[in-house]
């Protein structure tokens, strides 16, 4: 039997998160002492647990959303009353008599009655053989829409209360697909150009929708200039290169560098590795050296041909006279291909355009066809990815055949199947593969998805709100999952894992299963950016839309046309389009947008710096003007100068306020009223001050600032885990303020301290959970100042250490954190060779000696030193003349970056010749004779890049 559940709704994950919100409500300090309310709410919890066991229909989902509405409206009242009445809200006699409490009781009673009706109807369906529809739908409609006069007029004791608490039925409407967004977000606007394209092609109402969206592109040389390496998915793409594509890579490299044709199509079935092959070729050293300009255009599913052609025309103008390589990934139809070909004039200079498409007759001529790999290669690849090479003989032949038949020789299927089965015993594989692999392309997707836990399913569904092939910052994704309430919260006294650890575990599981791809690694090889596997995005987006998990909206000038089957609960904003879309949007008969149901607003409406985004302020004012503001997530990362209302503090449910890279200059004073706020991120903005009321936010866990000075309160009960970008001076008490924060995991502080520096470093030495630490010591003029580092031996979880300031001496080996993986020293002005100490750090992977960190003339890396070091950067060591590397030192060094070390005479031959593993050598602003010597002496296996900042000028 095919395990596809495409015909059923994903209700269970929604029930799970609503149940979790209910549990969080039960743990509220203001509610936990109220026995009457606890009894009522636990009754709802039991009913929800029963509902989860059979909920599949739309009407059941409507009831679940009704419960969610009531729970969150109730907690909104609690937060508002706490703001108004303070300690009185903790008193049982007061809480039992507020009208809002009575209203929720009546609501709960009605909802529980509705759930019982559902169970009775379900039981009657099970016990009868008739196919006549039950009265379930009518029961829901009458229960949810009938209200007593008392309820209609019951506004409670609060002017904000609303008598119309029922979720009105919304007419079904299509949720429009993703529009134009940057496929690779541009955090540093100067070095990343807006030219990465997204072209989409989606069927609506059974008709082919011909629209083409051209988004932005990144220039990889410019990315590398600032030290970012865009890595392929190590769990998938490297394996494909090993299994069956080496000859394809060689063939395409020859074709691109030696033949005269302009267009090179790459075709094959979905999941066969076309894009992976193209990426391998795109990054090939011969290709990088042969072409002067490189660009990648990613194709998504809804496209506007005129827009794409205009953007392509601009791009062609930019590369005129250069030999360029442009990859267009996802070309769908013959007509589109013909129009795109006409947009690229052949200048007969060796330029090339690669089109990537699924197999079809229109692509057959002169195309490079990517074939499915053989059964032998498939099985070898599967065993390696599943880690079962030693157990191969224990796998029964019929199980092996079933796996190979399901995978169909497609590398993506093999990788996903390996991720599914790698954690299971081989004896249990047969029962995990109960699927009929008729010609359904999503069989593997069904298997992988259905094997996930409820919470993992919900986290995965949520990821489909990000644009297809969008590189998502892992930090952003995990904090959004937290804010949405997808994992269990814990009380302050609880010994359960932190929610941050739970979402990280969920993320790691999805990565291990190869459903989430890691697209960029941090310097210590931890994940920095990720994306949902493209085919999974196509598979999950309809499921998420079906349950109104989110609504994708692109008409930023008019929110009134936004609609969803169950109301707009999460809105994802994209750039407005023109022409056909706006006409179609205006023709839709949809109900008026109800902002009172909005839980999340995430915008990808990126504008130029001189085009501030004002419309978001209009929407927020609409939300605030309603009696209940249930917004939990406001994520405007990358949106240029969005307007925020002064009454921002009325969004009392807000958990996540993401303003990174918005270039905002200020945020409203009322931010201190957001009593539920967990994440406040104003990094990379122009915000230079925050109100002292920020410390009233007792739930705040992640605070990312933009070098802001904040006065700490004398005592604090905060449970901050992240405090980044704080500025300290002598006027701020360290022992009475910061000294109370002992749970920090990430800390970045810039300080102007003389007398109090010792107290600061004594406090830091007690932060035993610290994982990342950045210390910047400056004087009153902002110049580097002395940094008297204390022993950090107790920080046995610290992996990243960044020190900016004048060290009197380098700490002894036994004073360093034993687990440090990434160490950065800037302007340390050490006169003694630091290598003798640093080479003994047992876990060091990345070492950056930057800007006068060492002022001596000679460095020596001794025998067997730096055993794990993979990356070394030597920047602006202006006095360095000699650098010796003894035998068996730095044996694992892969990347070496030397910049502005003008007196350095040479690089040790031990680093340049085989059998060394040095892969990349980068020289920037180094003397010509130095560069010439290195060119002659380096191994052919080492890639040499000279002055990367001059590329593509």
């Amino acid at each position: 039997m095919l395990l596809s559940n495409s015909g059923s709704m994903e209700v269970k994950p929604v029930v799970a998160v609503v149940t979790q919100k209910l549990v969080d409500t039960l743990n509220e300090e203001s509610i936990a002492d109220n026995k009457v309310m606890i009894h009522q709410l636990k009754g709802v919890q039991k009913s929800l647990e029963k509902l989860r066991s059979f909920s599949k229909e739309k009407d059941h989902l409507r009831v679940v959303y009704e419960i969610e509405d009531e729970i969150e409206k109730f907690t909104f009242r609690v937060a508002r009353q706490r703001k108004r009445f303070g300690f009185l809200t903790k008193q049982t006699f007061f809480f039992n008599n507020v009208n809002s409490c009575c209203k929720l009781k009546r609501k709960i009673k009605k909802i529980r009655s509705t759930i019982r009706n559902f169970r009775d109807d379900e039981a009657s369906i099970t016990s009868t053989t008739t196919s006549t529809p039950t009265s379930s739908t009518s029961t829901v409609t009458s229960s949810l829409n009938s209200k007593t006069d008392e309820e209609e007029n019951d506004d409670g004791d609060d002017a904000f209360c609303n008598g119309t608490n029922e979720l009105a039925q919304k007419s079904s409407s299509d949720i429009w697909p993703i529009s134009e967004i940057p496929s690779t977000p541009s955090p540093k606007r100067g070095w990343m150009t807006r030219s990465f394209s997204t072209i989409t092609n989606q069927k609506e109402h059974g008709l082919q929708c011909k629209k083409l969206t051209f988004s932005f592109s990144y220039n990889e040389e410019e990315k590398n200039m600032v030290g970012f390496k865009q890595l392929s998915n190590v769990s998938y793409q490297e394996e494909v290169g090993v299994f069956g594509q080496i000859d394809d890579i060689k063939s395409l490299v020859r074709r691109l560098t030696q033949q005269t044709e302009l267009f090179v199509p790459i075709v094959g079935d979905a999941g066969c590795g076309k894009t992976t092959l193209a990426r391998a070729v795109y990054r090939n050293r011969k290709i990088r050296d042969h072409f002067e300009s490189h660009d990648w255009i990613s194709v998504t599913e809804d496209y506007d041909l005129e827009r794409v052609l205009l953007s392509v025309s601009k791009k062609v103008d930019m590369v005129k006279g250069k030999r360029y390589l442009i990859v267009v990934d996802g070309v769908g139809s013959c007509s589109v291909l013909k129009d795109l070909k006409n947009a690229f004039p052949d200048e007969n200079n060796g330029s090339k355009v690669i089109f990537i498409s699924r197999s079809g007759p229109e692509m057959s001529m002169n195309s490079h066809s990517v074939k499915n790999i053989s059964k032998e290669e498939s099985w070898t690849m599967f065993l390696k990815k599943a880690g079962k090479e030693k157990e191969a003989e224990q796998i029964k032949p019929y199980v092996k055949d079933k796996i190979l038949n399901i995978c169909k020789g497609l590398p993506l299927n093999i990788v996903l199947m390996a991720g599914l089965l790698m954690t299971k015993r081989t004896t249990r594989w047969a029962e995990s593969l109960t699927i009929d692999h008729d010609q359904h392309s999503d069989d593997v997707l069904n298997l992988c998805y259905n094997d996930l836990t409820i919470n993992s399913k919900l986290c995965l569904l949520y990821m489909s709100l990000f644009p297809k092939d969008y590189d998502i910052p892992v930090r952003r994704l995990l904090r959004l999952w937290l804010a949405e309430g997808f994992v269990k919260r814990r009380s302050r006294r609880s010994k359960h894992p932190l929610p941050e650890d739970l979402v990280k575990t969920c993320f790691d599981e999805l990565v291990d299963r190869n459903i989430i791809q890691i697209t960029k690694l941090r310097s210590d090889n931890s994940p920095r950016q990720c994306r949902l596997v493209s085919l999974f995005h196509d598979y999950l987006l309809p499921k998420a839309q079906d349950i109104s998990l989110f609504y994708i909206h692109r008409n930023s000038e008019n929110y009134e046309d936004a609609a969803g089957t169950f109301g707009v609960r999460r809105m994802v904003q994209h750039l407005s389009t023109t022409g056909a879309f706006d006409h179609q949007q205006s023709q839709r008969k949809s109900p008026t947008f109800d902002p009172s149901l909005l839980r999340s607003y995430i915008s990808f409406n990126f504008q130029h710096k001189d085009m501030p985004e004002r419309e978001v302020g209009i929407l927020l004012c609409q939300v605030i003007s309603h009696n209940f503001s249930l917004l939990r997530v406001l994520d405007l990362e990358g949106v240029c100068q969005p307007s925020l209302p002064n009454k921002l503090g009325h969004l009392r449910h807000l958990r996540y306020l993401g303003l990174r890279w918005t270039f905002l200059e200020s945020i409203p004073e009322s931010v201190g009223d957001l009593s539920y706020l967990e994440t406040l991120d104003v990094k990379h903005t122009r915000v230079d001050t925050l109100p002292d009321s920020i410390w009233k936010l007792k739930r705040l866990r992640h605070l990312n600032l933009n070098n802001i000075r904040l006065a700490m309160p004398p005592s604090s009960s905060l449970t901050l885990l992240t405090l980044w970008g704080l500025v300290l001076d002598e006027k701020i008490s360290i022992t009475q303020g910061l000294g109370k924060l002992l749970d920090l995991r990430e800390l970045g502080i810039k300080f102007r301290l003389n007398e109090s520096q010792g107290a600061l470093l004594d406090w830091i030495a007690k932060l035993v959970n610290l994982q990342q630490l950045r210390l910047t010591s400056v004087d009153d003029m902002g110049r580097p100042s002395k940094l008297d580092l204390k022993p950090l031996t107790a920080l046995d979880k610290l992996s990243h250490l960044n020190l900016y300031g004048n060290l009197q001496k380098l700490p002894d080996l036994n004073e360093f954190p034993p687990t440090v993986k990434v160490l950065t020293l800037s302007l340390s002005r050490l006169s003694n060779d630091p290598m003798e100490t640093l080479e003994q750090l047992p876990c060091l992977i990345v070492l950056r000696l930057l800007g006068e960190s060492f002022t001596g003339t000679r460095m020596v890396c001794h025998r067997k030193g730096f055993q794990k070091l993979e990356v070394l950067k030597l920047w602006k060591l202006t006095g360095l003349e000699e650098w010796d590397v003894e035998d068996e030192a730095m044996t694992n060094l892969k990347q070496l970056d030397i910049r502005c070390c003008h007196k350095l005479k040479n690089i040790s031959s031990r680093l340049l010749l085989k059998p060394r593993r040095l892969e990349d050598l980068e020289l920037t602003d180094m003397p010509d004779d130095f560069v010439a010597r290195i060119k002659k002496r380096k191994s052919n296996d080492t890639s040499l890049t000279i002055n990367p900042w001059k590329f593509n000028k």
Side-chain angles (χ1 to χ4, degrees):
M1 183 177 92
L2 186 65
L3 290 181
S4 174
N5 55 356
S6 58
S8 63
M9 303 185 72
E10 289 299 316
V11 180
K12 289 184 180 181
V14 179
V15 176
V17 75
V18 173
T19 304
Q20 185 56 53
K21 287 180 180 179
L22 182 56
V23 172
D24 295 340
T25 303
L26 287 168
N27 291 329
E28 280 283 333
E29 185 179 355
S30 301
I31 297 172
D33 295 331
N34 190 305
K35 295 181 180 180
V36 176
M37 282 308 307
I38 290 290
H39 177 74
Q40 292 286 342
L41 292 173
K42 284 191 174 180
V44 175
Q45 183 179 355
K46 291 179 181 178
S47 299
L48 273 172
E49 293 294 341
K50 293 177 181 178
L51 185 63
R52 186 191 300 188
S53 65
F54 65 90
S55 291
K56 291 184 179 180
E57 301 301 326
K58 183 175 296 186
D59 292 318
H60 296 144
L61 187 59
R62 195 179 301 281
V63 171
V64 175
Y65 280 141
E66 168 81 1
I67 295 172
E68 181 181 43
D69 293 341
E70 293 310 317
I71 292 171
E72 297 198 343
K73 287 177 182 178
F74 176 69
T75 54
F76 179 85
R77 294 189 191 102
V78 171
R80 186 169 55 215
Q81 289 162 357
R82 184 187 298 122
K83 173 70 175 175
R84 289 188 173 189
F85 301 106
F87 76 96
L88 287 176
T89 55
K90 298 181 182 180
Q91 305 304 315
T92 302
F93 77 90
F94 175 83
F95 206 76
N96 275 335
N97 287 282
V98 294
N99 288 337
S100 59
C101 181
C102 298
K103 178 185 286 189
L104 182 61
K105 291 179 185 178
R106 291 193 296 271
K107 267 303 190 195
I108 289 172
K109 185 176 181 180
K110 178 178 291 188
I111 292 171
R112 291 176 67 183
S113 175
T114 303
I115 294 175
R116 282 195 297 270
N117 289 338
F118 274 140
R119 290 206 306 271
D120 292 343
D121 289 340
E122 191 90 1
S124 67
I125 293 173
T126 305
S127 61
T128 62
T129 57
T130 179
S131 60
T132 304
T134 70
S135 59
S136 167
T137 303
S138 60
T139 302
V140 170
T141 305
S142 60
S143 293
L144 296 185
N145 292 335
S146 62
K147 286 184 266 189
T148 64
D149 293 338
E150 181 185 16
E151 281 188 280
E152 284 284 3
N153 298 310
D154 184 8
D155 292 333
D157 66 332
D158 200 315
F160 285 87
C161 288
N162 187 346
T164 57
N165 290 329
E166 309 296 340
L167 175 62
Q169 290 222 10
K170 309 287 184 183
S171 63
S172 178
S173 63
D174 292 325
I175 300 177
W176 284 84
I178 291 168
S179 175
E180 178 180 342
I181 43 82
S183 295
T184 302
S186 174
K188 295 192 177 182
R189 305 298 175 98
W191 58 267
M192 192 174 290
T193 57
R194 292 172 173 267
S195 52
F196 202 111
S197 304
T198 37
I199 308 174
T200 60
N201 182 11
Q202 172 164 331
K203 293 184 179 180
E204 279 191 300
H205 305 294
L207 300 176
Q208 186 78 11
C209 177
K210 284 194 175 182
K211 294 174 58 182
L212 201 67
T213 294
F214 196 74
S215 188
F216 306 163
S217 88
Y218 61 85
N219 186 298
E220 290 206 357
E221 283 82 1
E222 292 179 0
K223 290 180 68 176
N224 291 339
M225 177 190 74
V226 293
F228 289 106
K229 297 286 186 181
Q230 186 74 16
L231 301 178
S232 63
N233 180 326
V234 294
S235 64
Y236 169 44
Q237 294 169 359
E238 288 184 358
E239 294 297 335
V240 174
V242 173
F243 291 95
Q245 289 197 338
I246 295 178
D247 291 339
D248 291 274
I249 293 172
K250 292 179 179 178
S251 173
L252 279 170
V253 169
R254 284 195 301 270
R255 183 170 176 180
L256 292 170
T257 56
Q258 298 177 12
Q259 298 185 15
T260 58
E261 59 188 336
L262 174 62
F263 301 107
V264 179
I266 298 178
V267 302
D269 296 334
C272 70
K274 303 182 298 297
T275 300
T276 301
L277 171 62
R279 283 175 181 158
V281 172
Y282 186 82
R283 295 187 177 98
N284 184 275
R285 190 181 310 150
K286 291 182 180 179
I287 295 298
R288 310 301 287 173
D289 293 340
H290 183 77
F291 294 97
E292 300 172 85
S293 179
H294 310 76
D295 257 306
W296 187 290
I297 302 172
S298 180
V299 175
T300 57
E301 295 187 1
D302 175 39
Y303 54 84
D304 181 336
L305 182 57
E306 292 182 6
R307 205 170 192 142
V308 135
L309 294 177
L310 177 62
S311 297
V312 167
S313 176
K314 291 180 180 179
K315 183 172 295 298
V316 170
D317 289 340
M318 291 173 60
V319 297
K320 260 186 181 174
K322 295 182 179 180
R323 185 165 57 240
Y324 62 82
L325 171 65
I326 296 178
V327 181
V328 184
D329 184 5
V331 178
S333 67
C334 185
S335 59
V336 171
L337 178 61
K338 184 180 296 184
D339 288 324
L340 283 174
K341 281 186 173 182
N342 293 332
F344 292 98
D346 192 351
E347 298 187 15
N348 296 317
N349 64 352
S351 294
K352 293 290 186 291
V353 179
I354 295 177
F355 291 114
I356 305 175
S357 175
R358 296 186 184 182
S359 299
E362 65 270 18
M363 291 291 187
S364 59
M365 296 186 63
N366 299 318
S367 62
H368 182 99
S369 180
V370 180
K371 305 296 184 183
N372 298 355
I373 61 179
S374 68
K375 287 190 174 183
E376 291 74 17
E377 290 173 321
S378 296
W379 188 241
T380 303
M381 181 179 181
F382 170 80
L383 290 174
K384 183 172 183 179
K385 291 301 300 174
K388 302 293 184 180
E389 293 168 293
K390 296 181 179 180
E391 303 175 43
E393 295 182 358
Q394 302 175 19
I395 302 172
K396 296 181 179 180
Y398 80 92
V399 174
K400 172 183 175 180
D401 291 340
K402 178 169 278 192
I403 291 172
L404 292 176
N405 289 336
I406 293 173
C407 291
K408 303 180 179 70
L410 297 172
L412 178 58
N413 285 359
I414 296 168
V415 168
L416 289 174
M417 187 64 69
L420 171 67
L421 298 177
M422 65 184 299
T423 60
K424 304 179 187 297
R425 295 180 181 177
T426 55
T427 55
R428 305 290 298 273
W429 281 7
E431 61 191 72
S432 300
L433 299 173
T434 53
I435 182 171
D436 289 334
H437 51 83
D438 302 332
Q439 302 301 316
H440 296 280
S441 61
D442 63 345
D443 288 352
V444 175
L445 304 182
N446 275 322
L447 278 172
C448 294
Y449 179 76
N450 290 331
D451 191 62
L452 296 174
T453 64
I454 294 294
N455 287 82
S456 294
K457 285 183 178 180
L458 189 59
C459 290
L460 201 59
L461 285 166
Y462 188 83
M463 284 189 73
S464 63
L465 70 80
F466 288 93
K468 187 176 180 180
D469 293 331
Y470 184 87
D471 286 338
I472 310 167
V474 174
R475 170 260 318 158
R476 182 182 185 183
L477 178 65
L478 298 188
R479 292 183 187 176
L480 284 172
W481 283 351
L482 282 173
E484 294 285 2
F486 291 167
V487 296
K488 183 179 181 180
R489 305 281 164 171
R490 75 169 191 173
S491 62
R492 298 195 176 205
R493 300 181 183 87
S494 173
K495 295 183 179 180
H496 291 102
L498 289 174
E500 286 78 4
D501 295 329
L502 293 177
V503 294
K504 181 62 166 59
T505 299
C506 177
F507 176 81
D508 290 341
E509 178 194 0
L510 294 173
V511 171
D512 291 341
R513 286 173 174 259
N514 303 310
I515 297 173
I516 292 179
Q517 296 177 334
I518 303 303
T519 57
K520 182 191 273 188
L521 296 173
R522 295 183 182 276
S523 51
D524 66 341
N525 294 325
S526 62
R528 185 186 188 96
Q529 290 182 355
C530 67
R531 68 171 58 158
L532 192 59
V533 170
S534 293
L535 289 181
F536 249 111
H537 193 283
D538 297 338
Y539 173 78
L540 293 172
L541 184 58
K543 290 179 176 290
Q545 292 174 338
D546 195 30
I547 59 175
S548 290
L549 186 65
F550 53 80
Y551 171 78
I552 298 173
H553 189 59
R554 292 185 287 179
N555 185 2
S556 61
E557 297 178 357
N558 181 16
Y559 290 100
E560 294 302 313
D561 58 6
T565 305
F566 304 101
V568 179
R569 313 182 79 80
R570 295 178 181 86
M571 179 180 287
V572 185
Q573 178 69 53
H574 292 281
L575 283 175
S576 301
T577 55
T578 58
F581 174 82
D582 290 337
H583 175 72
Q584 293 174 9
Q585 186 82 335
S586 65
Q587 297 301 310
R588 293 166 55 201
K589 295 180 180 180
S590 57
T592 301
F593 168 53
D594 181 4
S596 69
L597 300 176
L598 195 64
R599 267 56 174 204
S600 302
Y601 179 82
I602 302 176
S603 179
F604 298 98
N605 196 3
F606 304 126
Q607 303 284 351
H608 297 288
K609 288 183 181 180
D610 56 349
M611 297 176 62
E613 222 299 331
R614 303 299 185 194
E615 288 76 11
V616 64
I618 299 173
L619 174 66
L620 292 176
C621 287
Q622 289 183 20
V623 173
I624 290 171
S625 66
H626 279 67
N627 291 341
F628 297 98
S629 301
L630 305 183
L631 199 70
R632 296 172 67 100
V633 170
L634 180 57
D635 186 358
L636 305 176
E637 186 165 327
V639 177
C640 182
Q641 294 184 325
S643 59
L644 299 178
N646 291 329
K647 295 182 178 180
L648 188 70
H650 284 240
L651 302 173
R652 304 191 195 281
H653 259 288
L654 202 64
R655 266 77 169 171
Y656 182 102
L657 180 55
L659 303 173
R660 185 177 294 217
W661 290 112
T662 58
F663 300 99
L664 275 175
E665 297 181 355
S666 64
I667 60 176
E669 292 284 320
S670 61
V671 67
D673 294 330
L674 301 172
S675 57
Y676 281 95
L677 195 65
E678 297 172 347
T679 295
L680 175 59
D681 192 341
V682 295
K683 193 175 180 181
H684 301 306
T685 65
R686 296 167 184 161
V687 176
D688 57 8
T689 182
L690 287 177
D692 292 342
S693 60
I694 199 76
W695 302 120
K696 295 189 302 182
L697 307 181
K698 303 304 181 185
R699 300 169 188 262
L700 195 62
R701 302 176 69 79
H702 304 284
L703 180 58
N704 293 88
L705 305 173
N706 193 51
N707 287 331
I708 296 176
R709 181 187 181 279
L710 290 175
M712 295 288 293
S715 62
S716 176
S717 59
L718 291 176
T719 56
L720 276 178
L721 299 179
T722 302
L723 178 56
W724 202 267
L726 181 68
V727 174
L728 293 178
D729 57 31
E730 294 289 0
K731 297 179 181 179
I732 299 175
S733 172
I734 295 172
T735 56
Q736 294 184 347
L738 284 173
K740 306 293 183 180
L741 303 176
L742 297 176
D743 297 323
L744 287 170
R745 294 184 173 189
E746 299 179 23
L747 176 64
I749 292 184
K750 182 178 182 179
F751 54 87
R752 295 188 292 270
L753 300 173
N754 292 317
E755 298 177 1
S756 303
Q757 187 174 144
L760 172 67
L761 295 170
D762 285 340
W763 165 64
I764 290 174
K766 299 176 184 177
L767 303 178
V768 295
N769 293 316
L770 209 57
Q771 298 171 5
Q772 296 188 42
L773 174 62
R774 175 181 290 176
L775 295 177
T776 302
S777 178
V778 297
D779 61 18
D780 292 337
M781 302 298 292
R783 298 171 299 196
S785 183
K786 68 174 183 177
L787 178 56
D788 295 327
L789 204 62
K790 298 286 184 73
L792 301 175
T793 314
L795 309 186
D796 57 3
K797 297 178 183 178
L798 190 70
S799 62
H800 289 66
L801 179 60
N802 189 320
L803 302 175
Y804 178 99
N806 302 336
L807 291 171
Q808 300 300 310
K809 74 177 195 65
L810 194 69
D812 294 334
L813 180 64
N814 60 3
E815 296 177 339
F816 265 102
T819 52
V820 65
K821 294 180 179 179
V822 180
L823 176 63
T824 303
L825 301 179
S826 300
L827 292 161
S828 307
R829 294 182 181 163
L830 297 167
S831 56
N832 296 327
D833 184 0
M835 294 302 194
E836 187 172 354
T837 298
L838 300 181
E839 66 189 4
Q840 299 180 66
L841 294 176
C843 301
L844 194 63
I845 297 175
V846 178
L847 174 61
R848 305 185 186 104
L849 298 178
L850 311 180
E852 300 295 327
S853 54
F854 172 58
T855 58
T857 60
R858 187 170 188 267
M859 289 193 313
V860 179
C861 299
H862 299 89
R863 185 173 181 269
K864 293 189 176 181
F866 293 111
Q867 286 300 295
K868 291 189 177 181
L869 194 71
E870 296 180 4
V871 179
L872 175 63
K873 295 179 184 287
L874 305 176
W875 287 10
K876 295 187 178 181
L877 305 183
T878 54
L880 183 63
E881 298 177 8
E882 298 180 31
W883 174 33
D884 189 21
V885 179
E886 294 183 356
D887 195 28
E888 297 183 50
M890 293 189 177
T891 53
N892 288 306
L893 191 67
K894 296 179 181 178
Q895 297 178 28
L896 175 60
D897 184 352
I898 301 178
R899 181 174 300 189
C900 301
C901 298
H902 296 150
K903 293 183 180 180
L904 185 61
K905 298 174 183 177
N906 222 325
I907 299 176
S908 173
S909 298
R910 293 187 175 92
L911 294 179
L912 297 177
L913 301 177
K914 289 183 177 181
R916 291 285 178 170
R917 298 176 58 194
L918 188 63
E919 299 172 1
D920 297 305
L921 173 60
E922 195 167 292
L923 304 177
T924 304
D925 195 13
M926 294 295 290
D928 292 340
D929 57 340
F930 178 91
V931 174
R933 286 195 298 272
I934 299 304
K935 281 184 176 179
K936 292 179 180 179
R937 298 171 56 230
K938 78 172 187 68
S939 165
N940 291 332
D941 295 325
T942 300
S943 173
L944 176 62
T945 305
I946 303 170
N947 294 333
W949 56 274
K950 292 183 178 179
F951 286 0
N952 277 346
K953 274 196 168 185

